Amino acid sequence: MSNLREKLKEYLHLMDQDDISQVLNELSNTELLELWHDMNDEEASEFFLLLSEKRKVEFLTHLPEGDQEWLLLSINRDSTKEILMRLEPDDLADIIQAISPEVRESVWNSLSDEAKQETRFLLKFDEDDAAGLMTPRYVALRSNITVAQAIQFIRRGVEDIETIYYVYVVDPLKRLQGVISLREILFSNDNDRIGDKMVQNVVSVREDTDQEEVAKTLEDYDFLALPVVDRYNRLLGIVTFDDVIDVIREEQTEDIYRMGAMEGSADIYLETSVWGMIKKRIPWLIILLVLGTVTTNVLDAFGSIFASAYFLTLFIPVITQTGGNSGTQSSTLIIRGLAMGDLNFRDIGRVMLKELLVGLLMGVLLGLVILLRSVFLPPGLEVYQAMVVGISLVFVVLFSSLLGALAPLVIHRLGGDPTVIAGPLMSTFIDLTGITIYSTVAKELLSL
Amino acid sequence: MSNLREKLKEYLHLMDQDDISQVLNELSNTELLELWHDMNDEEASEFFLLLSEKRKVEFLTHLPEGDQEWLLLSINRDSTKEILMRLEPDDLADIIQAISPEVRESVWNSLSDEAKQETRFLLKFDEDDAAGLMTPRYVALRSNITVAQAIQFIRRGVEDIETIYYVYVVDPLKRLQGVISLREILFSNDNDRIGDKMVQNVVSVREDTDQEEVAKTLEDYDFLALPVVDRYNRLLGIVTFDDVIDVIREEQTEDIYRMGAMEGSADIYLETSVWGMIKKRIPWLIILLVLGTVTTNVLDAFGSIFASAYFLTLFIPVITQTGGNSGTQSSTLIIRGLAMGDLNFRDIGRVMLKELLVGLLMGVLLGLVILLRSVFLPPGLEVYQAMVVGISLVFVVLFSSLLGALAPLVIHRLGGDPTVIAGPLMSTFIDLTGITIYSTVAKELLSL
């Protein structure tokens, strides 16, 4: 990253503004963002003004929300107006939602009447639904026109449309009747009717379909865009593949956060305040801490065992950690399988059987490792002591593999999101059962 | 899922084959896959033959690898030939790589000469590189033709092309000179030259570019497709957005696996053998177990403390677990920030400062929780004992937050993949430092 900046610095004094502008316009949005983050305020706004009109608009939509607002304030009114005019309606609506109320008013006033109307229409919908992703600009035709007319229609005046590659066929009430790709249109004869060539069973999503389902549907059919309809099947807009890729990345981040015991949205680290960070992180830590203290009570109940065989205490962290790891593995595999649609609750028998075998074999292997390690390396246990630790580990690994697989299957079956059980929560449960198994096995084997 | 099957069963006896066929063809690929997994072999091949030719091809590419082979064997030779003929070249090459050598020969023999040639060309490249994703079928034109000629060219005979929405301009040596979208062509005048309208600075990827970078590039520019060139800038093929979405999903799975302490590819759970599963899972478990046993030695070294203040033993799991959780949170946030490009090594100062504040505040909060909990609930510690546990927890949470953030930054800086430090490996290190902090604090405070 900083390489790019240093290289640019080296050359910048050799170039005039046009050269610099050309170089900047050839960089990708990610590269531009890197430069942006490296600059002070004055440099940043100068840099922005060197971009082409098209790149300005693109770059603005890629900026973090806080920076968007700053940028719109720091450039002059005419530039702002020009940029806002060029934004896709869905991006414009996103920006208007993101900026603070004070700035919003001046931005709103600089919009054209058409843009105001489109934005008002889009702001009615929930950001996380299909309608929150859609653009209201698409190509729509009647079914009775010919291919030649359609081509002519497209070639004239649809320059503002995000994608012209799908043409939607609607009736006079705007109800969706069919869809035809531009490809299909071009491959048809000039005199063919659109209505005869279109696909009538249109795959569409409802305005309130969750964005993740929109993404799955588009992926599933490998479409470039999906139409969004209301409950009367009236066409409201279309969602394009690039918005869907953003959704996939966003959901991915939220899943990963949940596996790291955090809730909430995919904020940018450096832009989250200390307090915002604590709000995101502390709830799960407190819940897990309180749940985890049940191990304290279990250890207390078995207190005499640990007091009379001190070597057992030495292996408490190893037992809980290894159980946690094997349980996390199982739950990760099952959660992913459920998310990808490879697994279902009715596979529970096959899953449990596999985890039984895998858990048992891995348990025996790991038990042997700990046995050998604790006899031959410090603290140099007696063999019978090492056996207690090793045999406990077999049961702990077996049990945690089974629990790690079972829990997400059951949660999924009950309609919950299995990622809540991933990682830390799973380890906490497994700590508890691990300590219980360990204490019980030790008690039996040592006849305490 | 099973709902779909039950509904279909209810209606199936009322329908003739054409009706059934129509219903099946309206289902999405995911729905078809669900049905497929529910059926026995005979049902499965009957079901497949009821699909339209187009859907057969689509469905085949969505099937798990083992099932593809079975299916190609179970249907008759003519159907196989028909399907193979309709496959996109990149999908065909994938299938040929996936099937067993015995079946491969008969499949190979049923290919047309053109398909053989294309496949041979594609098989030269690495599956995980740009070239492994590309199709060699694209629209290429010379720069001197007119818009009207280009449209005519596209409308005639390019039916086999995966996307006609980007037209590439090449010189007689097939070197990439420019690109123009179909949209731009349609919006130009009939007599304009393609060479004057095309974009000359084409964003392309090299044949050996890693697939993840291909995905990032396409996303970054919101393109539908990217051209793949060799080192002489000769156009080899194009990668389309749907292949990129698959790459994003695949990389996502591999990252999540790594966070769950597993290596390797995104296999399907039920299709992985017990042995394959153990091979995927045991290496990390052994490494983590051996690393984790260092805690045994630390506890051994502080043995007298734990022996003389038994209440300390009761809180070992809580201390390690809470440290692990807060460390996992930090590392998750930092790893995600690095992956998304929001963070860089040079932000290390700001990151450490934030983790210092967040870790300290969270530590104090969690320390208070454990203090109150252990005084007022069983085992009902003395206040001075609970203070020891609480104060230890402050340091453990603070330290693990810092370590959790620092480790991925350093690994990233050294050119490694920070996800290796995520989750379990982080917890193991934190267990070790947590135990050390806990023992040391206890020793000082209790003057043991």
Side-chain angles (χ1 to χ4, degrees), chain A residues 211-221 244 339-340, chain B residues 30 249:
Chain A
Q211 60 177 1
E212 201 164 355
E213 207 185 314
V214 176
K216 282 249 168 73
T217 309
L218 185 134
E219 260 184 278
D220 202 14
Y221 288 96
V244 161
M340 295 286 98
Chain B
T30 305
R249 289 282 188 198

Side-chain angles (χ1 to χ4, degrees), chain A residues 321-333:
Chain A
Q321 185 76 46
T322 308
N325 291 341
S326 50
T328 301
Q329 286 185 336
S330 311
S331 58
T332 303
L333 287 167

Side-chain angles (χ1 to χ4, degrees), chain B residues 6-205:
Chain B
E6 278 154 29
K7 264 194 208 157
L8 270 178
K9 263 194 183 161
E10 257 177 61
Y11 293 110
L12 278 185
H13 67 277
L14 299 171
M15 299 196 268
D16 60 20
Q17 276 217 337
D18 283 354
D19 288 339
I20 299 175
S21 172
Q22 203 192 328
V23 170
L24 290 181
N25 284 311
E26 283 174 24
L27 296 178
S28 76
N29 293 317
T30 305
E31 288 166 328
L32 290 178
L33 272 174
E34 284 164 20
L35 285 173
W36 173 267
H37 285 306
D38 268 342
M39 287 182 288
N40 62 37
D41 285 2
E42 198 185 337
E43 285 172 342
S45 60
E46 248 179 72
F47 150 90
F48 181 74
L49 294 173
L50 286 173
L51 297 176
S52 69
E53 292 307 316
K54 194 170 155 253
R55 290 309 295 278
K56 274 183 194 153
V57 171
E58 257 182 53
F59 182 67
L60 180 67
T61 60
H62 281 79
L63 270 183
E65 296 187 352
D67 289 7
Q68 288 177 338
E69 177 162 343
W70 175 84
L71 183 62
L72 289 174
L73 283 176
S74 71
I75 56 178
N76 72 48
R77 228 190 143 74
D78 285 347
S79 303
T80 309
K81 208 166 170 173
E82 169 79 22
I83 290 168
L84 294 175
M85 219 185 62
R86 285 168 169 268
L87 276 170
E88 298 287 344
D90 49 339
D91 294 329
L92 178 59
D94 285 346
I95 288 178
I96 287 189
Q97 277 176 296
I99 56 184
S100 61
E102 307 87 64
V103 187
R104 197 176 291 154
E105 200 185 322
S106 86
V107 167
W108 184 259
N109 290 332
S110 64
L111 295 180
S112 69
D113 284 345
E114 193 203 345
K116 278 182 191 163
Q117 200 190 331
E118 276 178 344
T119 309
R120 237 182 259 122
F121 173 70
L122 289 178
L123 288 178
K124 284 191 309 198
F125 302 106
D126 189 327
E127 246 191 312
D128 291 337
D129 286 347
L133 298 172
M134 75 185 178
T135 169
R137 298 189 191 159
Y138 48 81
V139 188
L141 295 173
R142 291 282 135 72
S143 62
N144 59 349
I145 74 165
T146 64
V147 163
Q149 286 170 321
I151 294 176
Q152 220 175 20
F153 176 82
I154 293 166
R155 292 192 66 182
R156 256 182 299 141
V158 279
E159 205 143 357
D160 281 348
I161 304 290
E162 194 169 332
T163 181
I164 60 166
Y165 300 138
Y166 289 151
V167 172
Y168 298 92
V169 180
V170 293
D171 70 10
L173 294 174
K174 278 192 72 175
R175 285 178 306 203
L176 187 59
Q177 295 191 301
V179 64
I180 180 166
S181 68
L182 180 58
R183 176 197 186 102
E184 190 64 33
I185 295 179
L186 289 177
F187 292 160
S188 301
N189 295 318
D190 277 348
N191 298 323
D192 289 340
R193 300 250 158 229
I194 292 293
D196 299 331
K197 289 282 170 177
M198 73 186 186
V199 174
Q200 282 180 313
N201 295 304
V202 190
V203 178
S204 64
V205 289

Side-chain angles (χ1 to χ4, degrees), chain A residues 1 26-30 38 62 147 151 154-155 158-159 161-162 164-165 181-183 186-188 190 201 219-224 241-242 245 249 252-253 256-257 260-262 268-270 272 274 277-278 281-282 285-286 288-289 292-293 295-297 299-300 303 306 310 313-315 317-318 321-322 325-326 329-330 332-333 336 342-344 346-347 350-351 354-355 358 361-362 366 370 373 378-379 401 424 427-428 431, chain B residues 1 26-30 38 147 151 154-155 158-159 161-162 164-165 181-183 186-188 190 201 219-224 241-242 245 248-249 252-253 256-257 260-262 268-270 272 274 277-278 281-282 285-286 288-289 292-293 295-297 299-300 303 306 310 313-315 317-318 321-322 325-326 329-330 332-333 336 342-344 346-347 350-351 354-355 358 361-362 366 370 373 378-379 401 424 427-428 431:
Chain A
M1 290 201 177
E26 282 174 24
L27 295 178
S28 75
N29 293 318
T30 305
D38 267 342
H62 281 78
V147 163
I151 294 176
I154 293 166
R155 291 192 68 181
V158 280
E159 205 144 356
I161 304 290
E162 193 167 335
I164 60 165
Y165 299 139
S181 67
L182 179 59
R183 176 196 185 104
L186 289 177
F187 292 160
S188 300
D190 276 350
N201 294 305
E219 260 184 278
D220 202 14
Y221 288 96
D222 286 347
F223 286 156
L224 287 174
F241 79 97
D242 50 314
I245 291 184
R249 290 281 186 198
Q252 179 179 8
T253 303
I256 287 180
Y257 280 3
M262 289 169 289
I268 291 179
Y269 181 87
L270 288 177
T272 312
V274 169
M277 201 60 96
I278 291 176
R281 291 163 64 164
I282 199 85
L285 289 182
I286 292 181
L288 293 171
L289 175 64
T293 52
T295 54
T296 307
N297 301 97
L299 284 172
D300 197 28
F306 288 91
Y310 179 67
T313 302
L314 305 182
F315 291 89
V318 172
Q321 185 76 46
T322 308
N325 291 341
S326 50
Q329 286 185 336
S330 311
T332 303
L333 287 167
R336 194 66 194 165
D342 305 330
L343 276 178
N344 208 275
R346 73 193 136 78
D347 301 317
R350 291 164 73 193
V351 170
K354 186 168 281 178
E355 288 302 317
V358 171
L361 285 168
M362 294 201 311
L366 294 167
I370 194 80
R373 191 261 178 235
S401 301
S427 317
T428 300
D431 272 12
Chain B
M1 292 200 179
E26 283 174 24
L27 296 178
S28 76
N29 293 317
T30 305
D38 268 342
V147 163
I151 294 176
I154 293 166
R155 292 192 66 182
V158 279
E159 205 143 357
I161 304 290
E162 194 169 332
I164 60 166
Y165 300 138
S181 68
L182 180 58
R183 176 197 186 102
L186 289 177
F187 292 160
S188 301
D190 277 348
N201 295 304
E219 261 184 277
D220 202 13
Y221 289 95
D222 285 348
F223 287 156
L224 288 174
F241 78 97
D242 49 318
I245 291 184
I248 295 176
R249 289 282 188 198
Q252 178 179 11
T253 302
I256 287 180
Y257 280 3
M262 288 170 290
I268 293 180
Y269 181 87
L270 288 176
T272 312
V274 169
M277 200 59 98
I278 291 176
R281 292 164 64 166
I282 199 85
L285 289 183
I286 292 182
L288 294 171
L289 175 62
T293 53
T295 54
T296 308
N297 301 97
L299 284 172
D300 198 27
F306 288 91
Y310 180 67
T313 303
L314 305 182
F315 291 88
V318 172
Q321 185 76 48
T322 307
N325 291 341
S326 50
Q329 287 185 336
S330 312
T332 303
L333 288 167
R336 193 66 194 164
D342 305 330
L343 277 179
N344 208 274
R346 73 192 136 78
D347 301 317
R350 291 164 72 192
V351 170
K354 187 169 280 178
E355 288 301 317
V358 171
L361 284 167
M362 294 202 310
L366 294 168
I370 194 81
R373 190 261 177 235
S401 300
S427 317
T428 301
D431 272 13

